[in-house]
PDB file of all heavy atoms in Angstrom:
ATOM      1  N   ILE A  26       0.834  -1.202   0.000  1.00 94.00           N
ATOM      2  CA  ILE A  26       0.000   0.000   0.000  1.00 94.00           C
ATOM      3  C   ILE A  26       0.867   1.249   0.000  1.00 94.00           C
ATOM      4  O   ILE A  26       0.598   2.215  -0.725  1.00 94.00           O
ATOM      5  CB  ILE A  26      -0.946  -0.008   1.218  1.00 94.00           C
ATOM      6  CG1 ILE A  26      -1.907  -1.201   1.133  1.00 94.00           C
ATOM      7  CG2 ILE A  26      -1.744   1.298   1.292  1.00 94.00           C
ATOM      8  CD1 ILE A  26      -2.693  -1.445   2.406  1.00 94.00           C
ATOM      9  N   ARG A  27       1.935   1.252   0.798  1.00 93.00           N
ATOM     10  CA  ARG A  27       2.834   2.406   0.852  1.00 93.00           C
ATOM     11  C   ARG A  27       3.454   2.684  -0.522  1.00 93.00           C
ATOM     12  O   ARG A  27       3.592   3.838  -0.933  1.00 93.00           O
ATOM     13  CB  ARG A  27       3.932   2.182   1.888  1.00 93.00           C
ATOM     14  CG  ARG A  27       3.464   2.281   3.330  1.00 93.00           C
ATOM     15  CD  ARG A  27       4.574   1.867   4.292  1.00 93.00           C
ATOM     16  NE  ARG A  27       5.678   2.797   4.273  1.00 93.00           N
ATOM     17  CZ  ARG A  27       5.835   3.806   5.132  1.00 93.00           C
ATOM     18  NH1 ARG A  27       4.949   4.005   6.092  1.00 93.00           N
ATOM     19  NH2 ARG A  27       6.874   4.605   5.050  1.00 93.00           N
ATOM     20  N   SER A  28       3.838   1.634  -1.245  1.00 94.00           N
ATOM     21  CA  SER A  28       4.422   1.829  -2.570  1.00 94.00           C
ATOM     22  C   SER A  28       3.415   2.451  -3.525  1.00 94.00           C
ATOM     23  O   SER A  28       3.756   3.353  -4.308  1.00 94.00           O
ATOM     24  CB  SER A  28       4.907   0.481  -3.131  1.00 94.00           C
ATOM     25  OG  SER A  28       5.995  -0.008  -2.391  1.00 94.00           O
ATOM     26  N   LEU A  29       2.163   1.971  -3.468  1.00 95.00           N
ATOM     27  CA  LEU A  29       1.116   2.542  -4.310  1.00 95.00           C
ATOM     28  C   LEU A  29       0.884   4.011  -3.957  1.00 95.00           C
ATOM     29  O   LEU A  29       0.752   4.865  -4.840  1.00 95.00           O
ATOM     30  CB  LEU A  29      -0.187   1.748  -4.145  1.00 95.00           C
ATOM     31  CG  LEU A  29      -0.175   0.290  -4.605  1.00 95.00           C
ATOM     32  CD1 LEU A  29      -1.474  -0.398  -4.191  1.00 95.00           C
ATOM     33  CD2 LEU A  29      -0.005   0.206  -6.120  1.00 95.00           C
ATOM     34  N   VAL A  30       0.835   4.305  -2.665  1.00 94.00           N
ATOM     35  CA  VAL A  30       0.585   5.674  -2.210  1.00 94.00           C
ATOM     36  C   VAL A  30       1.746   6.591  -2.604  1.00 94.00           C
ATOM     37  O   VAL A  30       1.536   7.738  -3.011  1.00 94.00           O
ATOM     38  CB  VAL A  30       0.353   5.715  -0.688  1.00 94.00           C
ATOM     39  CG1 VAL A  30       0.281   7.148  -0.179  1.00 94.00           C
ATOM     40  CG2 VAL A  30      -0.929   4.971  -0.330  1.00 94.00           C
ATOM     41  N   GLN A  31       2.977   6.100  -2.503  1.00 94.00           N
ATOM     42  CA  GLN A  31       4.132   6.929  -2.844  1.00 94.00           C
ATOM     43  C   GLN A  31       4.098   7.315  -4.322  1.00 94.00           C
ATOM     44  O   GLN A  31       4.374   8.467  -4.684  1.00 94.00           O
ATOM     45  CB  GLN A  31       5.428   6.196  -2.516  1.00 94.00           C
ATOM     46  CG  GLN A  31       6.682   7.038  -2.766  1.00 94.00           C
ATOM     47  CD  GLN A  31       7.919   6.439  -2.122  1.00 94.00           C
ATOM     48  OE1 GLN A  31       7.991   6.275  -0.918  1.00 94.00           O
ATOM     49  NE2 GLN A  31       8.892   6.090  -2.947  1.00 94.00           N
ATOM     50  N   GLU A  32       3.764   6.360  -5.194  1.00 95.00           N
ATOM     51  CA  GLU A  32       3.635   6.688  -6.612  1.00 95.00           C
ATOM     52  C   GLU A  32       2.510   7.692  -6.832  1.00 95.00           C
ATOM     53  O   GLU A  32       2.635   8.637  -7.625  1.00 95.00           O
ATOM     54  CB  GLU A  32       3.379   5.416  -7.428  1.00 95.00           C
ATOM     55  CG  GLU A  32       4.598   4.541  -7.609  1.00 95.00           C
ATOM     56  CD  GLU A  32       4.395   3.462  -8.666  1.00 95.00           C
ATOM     57  OE1 GLU A  32       3.427   3.586  -9.459  1.00 95.00           O
ATOM     58  OE2 GLU A  32       5.182   2.501  -8.705  1.00 95.00           O
ATOM     59  N   CYS A  33       1.398   7.480  -6.137  1.00 94.00           N
ATOM     60  CA  CYS A  33       0.247   8.375  -6.250  1.00 94.00           C
ATOM     61  C   CYS A  33       0.639   9.800  -5.882  1.00 94.00           C
ATOM     62  O   CYS A  33       0.401  10.752  -6.646  1.00 94.00           O
ATOM     63  CB  CYS A  33      -0.892   7.877  -5.359  1.00 94.00           C
ATOM     64  SG  CYS A  33      -2.224   9.061  -5.090  1.00 94.00           S
ATOM     65  N   LEU A  34       1.251   9.984  -4.715  1.00 94.00           N
ATOM     66  CA  LEU A  34       1.598  11.315  -4.238  1.00 94.00           C
ATOM     67  C   LEU A  34       2.690  11.958  -5.099  1.00 94.00           C
ATOM     68  O   LEU A  34       2.700  13.167  -5.306  1.00 94.00           O
ATOM     69  CB  LEU A  34       2.033  11.258  -2.777  1.00 94.00           C
ATOM     70  CG  LEU A  34       0.950  10.794  -1.792  1.00 94.00           C
ATOM     71  CD1 LEU A  34       1.497  10.766  -0.363  1.00 94.00           C
ATOM     72  CD2 LEU A  34      -0.282  11.688  -1.868  1.00 94.00           C
ATOM     73  N   PHE A  35       3.603  11.137  -5.601  1.00 94.00           N
ATOM     74  CA  PHE A  35       4.643  11.658  -6.497  1.00 94.00           C
ATOM     75  C   PHE A  35       4.007  12.234  -7.760  1.00 94.00           C
ATOM     76  O   PHE A  35       4.365  13.329  -8.221  1.00 94.00           O
ATOM     77  CB  PHE A  35       5.628  10.555  -6.860  1.00 94.00           C
ATOM     78  CG  PHE A  35       6.678  10.976  -7.865  1.00 94.00           C
ATOM     79  CD1 PHE A  35       7.833  11.616  -7.448  1.00 94.00           C
ATOM     80  CD2 PHE A  35       6.488  10.740  -9.220  1.00 94.00           C
ATOM     81  CE1 PHE A  35       8.798  12.020  -8.373  1.00 94.00           C
ATOM     82  CE2 PHE A  35       7.446  11.147 -10.148  1.00 94.00           C
ATOM     83  CZ  PHE A  35       8.601  11.782  -9.730  1.00 94.00           C
ATOM     84  N   GLU A  36       3.040  11.511  -8.330  1.00 94.00           N
ATOM     85  CA  GLU A  36       2.424  11.955  -9.578  1.00 94.00           C
ATOM     86  C   GLU A  36       1.453  13.108  -9.365  1.00 94.00           C
ATOM     87  O   GLU A  36       1.211  13.908 -10.272  1.00 94.00           O
ATOM     88  CB  GLU A  36       1.731  10.777 -10.265  1.00 94.00           C
ATOM     89  CG  GLU A  36       2.718   9.736 -10.757  1.00 94.00           C
ATOM     90  CD  GLU A  36       2.075   8.664 -11.622  1.00 94.00           C
ATOM     91  OE1 GLU A  36       0.961   8.895 -12.148  1.00 94.00           O
ATOM     92  OE2 GLU A  36       2.672   7.581 -11.771  1.00 94.00           O
ATOM     93  N   LEU A  37       0.885  13.205  -8.158  1.00 93.00           N
ATOM     94  CA  LEU A  37      -0.046  14.295  -7.871  1.00 93.00           C
ATOM     95  C   LEU A  37       0.653  15.584  -7.418  1.00 93.00           C
ATOM     96  O   LEU A  37       0.087  16.672  -7.542  1.00 93.00           O
ATOM     97  CB  LEU A  37      -1.037  13.874  -6.782  1.00 93.00           C
ATOM     98  CG  LEU A  37      -2.147  12.897  -7.185  1.00 93.00           C
ATOM     99  CD1 LEU A  37      -2.966  12.515  -5.969  1.00 93.00           C
ATOM    100  CD2 LEU A  37      -3.049  13.505  -8.250  1.00 93.00           C
ATOM    101  N   SER A  38       1.878  15.454  -6.905  1.00 90.00           N
ATOM    102  CA  SER A  38       2.532  16.602  -6.268  1.00 90.00           C
ATOM    103  C   SER A  38       2.746  17.811  -7.178  1.00 90.00           C
ATOM    104  O   SER A  38       2.771  18.937  -6.677  1.00 90.00           O
ATOM    105  CB  SER A  38       3.867  16.173  -5.636  1.00 90.00           C
ATOM    106  OG  SER A  38       4.713  15.553  -6.587  1.00 90.00           O
ATOM    107  N   PRO A  39       2.891  17.671  -8.515  1.00 90.00           N
ATOM    108  CA  PRO A  39       3.059  18.879  -9.327  1.00 90.00           C
ATOM    109  C   PRO A  39       1.775  19.692  -9.502  1.00 90.00           C
ATOM    110  O   PRO A  39       1.822  20.817  -9.993  1.00 90.00           O
ATOM    111  CB  PRO A  39       3.519  18.336 -10.695  1.00 90.00           C
ATOM    112  CG  PRO A  39       3.976  16.947 -10.439  1.00 90.00           C
ATOM    113  CD  PRO A  39       3.127  16.460  -9.316  1.00 90.00           C
ATOM    114  N   TYR A  40       0.631  19.120  -9.102  1.00 88.00           N
ATOM    115  CA  TYR A  40      -0.648  19.773  -9.368  1.00 88.00           C
ATOM    116  C   TYR A  40      -1.216  20.443  -8.109  1.00 88.00           C
ATOM    117  O   TYR A  40      -1.642  19.762  -7.181  1.00 88.00           O
ATOM    118  CB  TYR A  40      -1.665  18.754  -9.885  1.00 88.00           C
ATOM    119  CG  TYR A  40      -1.210  17.997 -11.115  1.00 88.00           C
ATOM    120  CD1 TYR A  40      -1.046  16.615 -11.073  1.00 88.00           C
ATOM    121  CD2 TYR A  40      -0.938  18.668 -12.298  1.00 88.00           C
ATOM    122  CE1 TYR A  40      -0.627  15.915 -12.201  1.00 88.00           C
ATOM    123  CE2 TYR A  40      -0.521  17.975 -13.426  1.00 88.00           C
ATOM    124  CZ  TYR A  40      -0.364  16.601 -13.371  1.00 88.00           C
ATOM    125  OH  TYR A  40       0.052  15.921 -14.476  1.00 88.00           O
ATOM    126  N   PRO A  41      -1.259  21.779  -8.071  1.00 83.00           N
ATOM    127  CA  PRO A  41      -1.832  22.478  -6.915  1.00 83.00           C
ATOM    128  C   PRO A  41      -3.334  22.707  -7.038  1.00 83.00           C
ATOM    129  O   PRO A  41      -3.970  23.201  -6.113  1.00 83.00           O
ATOM    130  CB  PRO A  41      -1.082  23.821  -6.924  1.00 83.00           C
ATOM    131  CG  PRO A  41      -0.832  24.072  -8.382  1.00 83.00           C
ATOM    132  CD  PRO A  41      -0.635  22.719  -9.022  1.00 83.00           C
ATOM    133  N   ASP A  42      -3.910  22.342  -8.207  1.00 85.00           N
ATOM    134  CA  ASP A  42      -5.297  22.704  -8.498  1.00 85.00           C
ATOM    135  C   ASP A  42      -6.223  21.495  -8.524  1.00 85.00           C
ATOM    136  O   ASP A  42      -7.122  21.394  -9.353  1.00 85.00           O
ATOM    137  CB  ASP A  42      -5.367  23.422  -9.847  1.00 85.00           C
ATOM    138  CG  ASP A  42      -4.794  22.572 -10.992  1.00 85.00           C
ATOM    139  OD1 ASP A  42      -4.036  21.622 -10.703  1.00 85.00           O
ATOM    140  OD2 ASP A  42      -5.102  22.862 -12.158  1.00 85.00           O
ATOM    141  N   LEU A  43      -6.027  20.557  -7.608  1.00 88.00           N
ATOM    142  CA  LEU A  43      -6.839  19.345  -7.598  1.00 88.00           C
ATOM    143  C   LEU A  43      -8.230  19.623  -7.041  1.00 88.00           C
ATOM    144  O   LEU A  43      -8.381  20.268  -6.008  1.00 88.00           O
ATOM    145  CB  LEU A  43      -6.151  18.261  -6.760  1.00 88.00           C
ATOM    146  CG  LEU A  43      -4.800  17.759  -7.275  1.00 88.00           C
ATOM    147  CD1 LEU A  43      -4.123  16.908  -6.211  1.00 88.00           C
ATOM    148  CD2 LEU A  43      -4.967  16.979  -8.569  1.00 88.00           C
ATOM    149  N   ASN A  44      -9.244  19.113  -7.734  1.00 89.00           N
ATOM    150  CA  ASN A  44     -10.612  19.153  -7.230  1.00 89.00           C
ATOM    151  C   ASN A  44     -10.906  17.846  -6.520  1.00 89.00           C
ATOM    152  O   ASN A  44     -10.416  16.784  -6.922  1.00 89.00           O
ATOM    153  CB  ASN A  44     -11.596  19.363  -8.378  1.00 89.00           C
ATOM    154  CG  ASN A  44     -11.382  20.691  -9.078  1.00 89.00           C
ATOM    155  OD1 ASN A  44     -11.242  21.719  -8.425  1.00 89.00           O
ATOM    156  ND2 ASN A  44     -11.334  20.674 -10.402  1.00 89.00           N
ATOM    157  N   SER A  45     -11.711  17.899  -5.463  1.00 87.00           N
ATOM    158  CA  SER A  45     -12.013  16.687  -4.701  1.00 87.00           C
ATOM    159  C   SER A  45     -13.521  16.433  -4.667  1.00 87.00           C
ATOM    160  O   SER A  45     -14.329  17.364  -4.700  1.00 87.00           O
ATOM    161  CB  SER A  45     -11.486  16.796  -3.270  1.00 87.00           C
ATOM    162  OG  SER A  45     -12.129  17.847  -2.584  1.00 87.00           O
ATOM    163  N   ASP A  46     -13.866  15.152  -4.606  1.00 88.00           N
ATOM    164  CA  ASP A  46     -15.268  14.753  -4.515  1.00 88.00           C
ATOM    165  C   ASP A  46     -15.344  13.519  -3.623  1.00 88.00           C
ATOM    166  O   ASP A  46     -14.599  12.558  -3.830  1.00 88.00           O
ATOM    167  CB  ASP A  46     -15.822  14.449  -5.913  1.00 88.00           C
ATOM    168  CG  ASP A  46     -17.317  14.122  -5.880  1.00 88.00           C
ATOM    169  OD1 ASP A  46     -18.004  14.605  -4.953  1.00 88.00           O
ATOM    170  OD2 ASP A  46     -17.785  13.386  -6.772  1.00 88.00           O
ATOM    171  N   TRP A  47     -16.209  13.537  -2.619  1.00 86.00           N
ATOM    172  CA  TRP A  47     -16.340  12.438  -1.671  1.00 86.00           C
ATOM    173  C   TRP A  47     -17.577  11.602  -1.994  1.00 86.00           C
ATOM    174  O   TRP A  47     -18.673  12.136  -2.154  1.00 86.00           O
ATOM    175  CB  TRP A  47     -16.426  12.975  -0.241  1.00 86.00           C
ATOM    176  CG  TRP A  47     -16.776  11.926   0.783  1.00 86.00           C
ATOM    177  CD1 TRP A  47     -17.985  11.728   1.394  1.00 86.00           C
ATOM    178  CD2 TRP A  47     -15.905  10.911   1.290  1.00 86.00           C
ATOM    179  NE1 TRP A  47     -17.917  10.665   2.249  1.00 86.00           N
ATOM    180  CE2 TRP A  47     -16.651  10.137   2.212  1.00 86.00           C
ATOM    181  CE3 TRP A  47     -14.570  10.583   1.061  1.00 86.00           C
ATOM    182  CZ2 TRP A  47     -16.104   9.065   2.893  1.00 86.00           C
ATOM    183  CZ3 TRP A  47     -14.028   9.507   1.748  1.00 86.00           C
ATOM    184  CH2 TRP A  47     -14.781   8.760   2.656  1.00 86.00           C
ATOM    185  N   LYS A  48     -17.372  10.274  -2.094  1.00 88.00           N
ATOM    186  CA  LYS A  48     -18.489   9.362  -2.355  1.00 88.00           C
ATOM    187  C   LYS A  48     -18.513   8.289  -1.266  1.00 88.00           C
ATOM    188  O   LYS A  48     -17.654   7.392  -1.268  1.00 88.00           O
ATOM    189  CB  LYS A  48     -18.344   8.708  -3.729  1.00 88.00           C
ATOM    190  CG  LYS A  48     -18.507   9.671  -4.889  1.00 88.00           C
ATOM    191  CD  LYS A  48     -18.456   8.938  -6.225  1.00 88.00           C
ATOM    192  CE  LYS A  48     -18.675   9.896  -7.383  1.00 88.00           C
ATOM    193  NZ  LYS A  48     -18.627   9.186  -8.693  1.00 88.00           N
ATOM    194  N   PRO A  49     -19.448   8.359  -0.326  1.00 87.00           N
ATOM    195  CA  PRO A  49     -19.533   7.316   0.711  1.00 87.00           C
ATOM    196  C   PRO A  49     -19.969   5.994   0.115  1.00 87.00           C
ATOM    197  O   PRO A  49     -20.693   5.947  -0.883  1.00 87.00           O
ATOM    198  CB  PRO A  49     -20.591   7.872   1.675  1.00 87.00           C
ATOM    199  CG  PRO A  49     -21.398   8.804   0.850  1.00 87.00           C
ATOM    200  CD  PRO A  49     -20.486   9.389  -0.177  1.00 87.00           C
ATOM    201  N   THR A  50     -19.477   4.895   0.694  1.00 83.00           N
ATOM    202  CA  THR A  50     -19.859   3.559   0.237  1.00 83.00           C
ATOM    203  C   THR A  50     -20.296   2.721   1.425  1.00 83.00           C
ATOM    204  O   THR A  50     -19.897   2.967   2.563  1.00 83.00           O
ATOM    205  CB  THR A  50     -18.684   2.852  -0.474  1.00 83.00           C
ATOM    206  OG1 THR A  50     -17.611   2.684   0.457  1.00 83.00           O
ATOM    207  CG2 THR A  50     -18.192   3.657  -1.670  1.00 83.00           C
ATOM    208  N   GLN A  51     -21.102   1.717   1.123  1.00 77.00           N
ATOM    209  CA  GLN A  51     -21.586   0.797   2.160  1.00 77.00           C
ATOM    210  C   GLN A  51     -20.926  -0.568   2.039  1.00 77.00           C
ATOM    211  O   GLN A  51     -21.366  -1.526   2.665  1.00 77.00           O
ATOM    212  CB  GLN A  51     -23.115   0.651   2.038  1.00 77.00           C
ATOM    213  CG  GLN A  51     -23.872   1.962   2.180  1.00 77.00           C
ATOM    214  CD  GLN A  51     -23.635   2.624   3.529  1.00 77.00           C
ATOM    215  OE1 GLN A  51     -23.559   1.948   4.556  1.00 77.00           O
ATOM    216  NE2 GLN A  51     -23.517   3.945   3.523  1.00 77.00           N
ATOM    217  N   THR A  52     -19.884  -0.658   1.222  1.00 74.00           N
ATOM    218  CA  THR A  52     -19.217  -1.945   1.007  1.00 74.00           C
ATOM    219  C   THR A  52     -18.584  -2.445   2.299  1.00 74.00           C
ATOM    220  O   THR A  52     -17.910  -1.699   3.011  1.00 74.00           O
ATOM    221  CB  THR A  52     -18.114  -1.797  -0.063  1.00 74.00           C
ATOM    222  OG1 THR A  52     -18.693  -1.249  -1.243  1.00 74.00           O
ATOM    223  CG2 THR A  52     -17.481  -3.146  -0.373  1.00 74.00           C
ATOM    224  N   ALA A  53     -18.817  -3.716   2.603  1.00 75.00           N
ATOM    225  CA  ALA A  53     -18.229  -4.311   3.803  1.00 75.00           C
ATOM    226  C   ALA A  53     -16.719  -4.451   3.619  1.00 75.00           C
ATOM    227  O   ALA A  53     -16.250  -4.922   2.577  1.00 75.00           O
ATOM    228  CB  ALA A  53     -18.857  -5.672   4.073  1.00 75.00           C
ATOM    229  N   ILE A  54     -15.961  -4.033   4.609  1.00 78.00           N
ATOM    230  CA  ILE A  54     -14.497  -4.108   4.564  1.00 78.00           C
ATOM    231  C   ILE A  54     -14.023  -5.115   5.603  1.00 78.00           C
ATOM    232  O   ILE A  54     -14.463  -5.103   6.748  1.00 78.00           O
ATOM    233  CB  ILE A  54     -13.866  -2.733   4.854  1.00 78.00           C
ATOM    234  CG1 ILE A  54     -14.388  -1.685   3.874  1.00 78.00           C
ATOM    235  CG2 ILE A  54     -12.351  -2.810   4.784  1.00 78.00           C
ATOM    236  CD1 ILE A  54     -14.008  -1.916   2.447  1.00 78.00           C
ATOM    237  N   SER A  55     -13.135  -6.016   5.190  1.00 80.00           N
ATOM    238  CA  SER A  55     -12.653  -7.051   6.095  1.00 80.00           C
ATOM    239  C   SER A  55     -11.815  -6.454   7.220  1.00 80.00           C
ATOM    240  O   SER A  55     -11.273  -5.347   7.104  1.00 80.00           O
ATOM    241  CB  SER A  55     -11.816  -8.073   5.328  1.00 80.00           C
ATOM    242  OG  SER A  55     -10.570  -7.506   4.960  1.00 80.00           O
ATOM    243  N   THR A  56     -11.701  -7.213   8.297  1.00 78.00           N
ATOM    244  CA  THR A  56     -10.867  -6.777   9.428  1.00 78.00           C
ATOM    245  C   THR A  56      -9.415  -6.624   9.003  1.00 78.00           C
ATOM    246  O   THR A  56      -8.726  -5.699   9.434  1.00 78.00           O
ATOM    247  CB  THR A  56     -10.964  -7.795  10.573  1.00 78.00           C
ATOM    248  OG1 THR A  56     -12.324  -7.910  10.971  1.00 78.00           O
ATOM    249  CG2 THR A  56     -10.131  -7.353  11.766  1.00 78.00           C
ATOM    250  N   PHE A  57      -8.939  -7.532   8.139  1.00 80.00           N
ATOM    251  CA  PHE A  57      -7.562  -7.445   7.652  1.00 80.00           C
ATOM    252  C   PHE A  57      -7.301  -6.088   6.996  1.00 80.00           C
ATOM    253  O   PHE A  57      -6.305  -5.427   7.273  1.00 80.00           O
ATOM    254  CB  PHE A  57      -7.283  -8.559   6.635  1.00 80.00           C
ATOM    255  CG  PHE A  57      -6.988  -9.893   7.258  1.00 80.00           C
ATOM    256  CD1 PHE A  57      -7.598 -11.039   6.780  1.00 80.00           C
ATOM    257  CD2 PHE A  57      -6.093 -10.009   8.306  1.00 80.00           C
ATOM    258  CE1 PHE A  57      -7.323 -12.271   7.350  1.00 80.00           C
ATOM    259  CE2 PHE A  57      -5.807 -11.240   8.879  1.00 80.00           C
ATOM    260  CZ  PHE A  57      -6.430 -12.375   8.393  1.00 80.00           C
ATOM    261  N   CYS A  58      -8.204  -5.679   6.111  1.00 83.00           N
ATOM    262  CA  CYS A  58      -8.015  -4.434   5.385  1.00 83.00           C
ATOM    263  C   CYS A  58      -8.058  -3.231   6.332  1.00 83.00           C
ATOM    264  O   CYS A  58      -7.332  -2.260   6.139  1.00 83.00           O
ATOM    265  CB  CYS A  58      -9.073  -4.288   4.289  1.00 83.00           C
ATOM    266  SG  CYS A  58      -8.807  -5.413   2.892  1.00 83.00           S
ATOM    267  N   LYS A  59      -8.890  -3.319   7.349  1.00 82.00           N
ATOM    268  CA  LYS A  59      -8.962  -2.224   8.314  1.00 82.00           C
ATOM    269  C   LYS A  59      -7.636  -2.078   9.070  1.00 82.00           C
ATOM    270  O   LYS A  59      -7.212  -0.974   9.405  1.00 82.00           O
ATOM    271  CB  LYS A  59     -10.105  -2.469   9.306  1.00 82.00           C
ATOM    272  CG  LYS A  59     -11.497  -2.368   8.678  1.00 82.00           C
ATOM    273  CD  LYS A  59     -12.572  -2.716   9.690  1.00 82.00           C
ATOM    274  CE  LYS A  59     -13.969  -2.666   9.062  1.00 82.00           C
ATOM    275  NZ  LYS A  59     -15.026  -3.077  10.014  1.00 82.00           N
ATOM    276  N   VAL A  60      -6.984  -3.203   9.324  1.00 83.00           N
ATOM    277  CA  VAL A  60      -5.735  -3.186  10.089  1.00 83.00           C
ATOM    278  C   VAL A  60      -4.591  -2.563   9.286  1.00 83.00           C
ATOM    279  O   VAL A  60      -3.776  -1.815   9.823  1.00 83.00           O
ATOM    280  CB  VAL A  60      -5.360  -4.608  10.540  1.00 83.00           C
ATOM    281  CG1 VAL A  60      -3.942  -4.650  11.097  1.00 83.00           C
ATOM    282  CG2 VAL A  60      -6.345  -5.101  11.591  1.00 83.00           C
TER     283      VAL A  60
END
């Protein structure tokens, strides 16, 4: 997950004009994933 996030933040860092949109979900998440 850290490797994926590092690539994500590296590619996003040049852009100061990001728009955000929040979409709540009801999908069940396993205990493993929460940890």
Side-chain angles (χ1 to χ4, degrees):
I26 297 169
R27 287 173 67 96
S28 293
L29 296 172
V30 172
Q31 184 166 299
E32 285 193 16
C33 166
L34 297 180
F35 176 85
E36 293 189 19
L37 286 176
S38 56
Y40 304 118
D42 57 341
L43 296 169
N44 297 313
S45 63
D46 184 27
W47 171 256
K48 292 184 178 180
T50 62
Q51 301 300 321
T52 305
I54 304 295
S55 72
T56 301
F57 280 134
C58 288
K59 291 176 182 177
V60 169

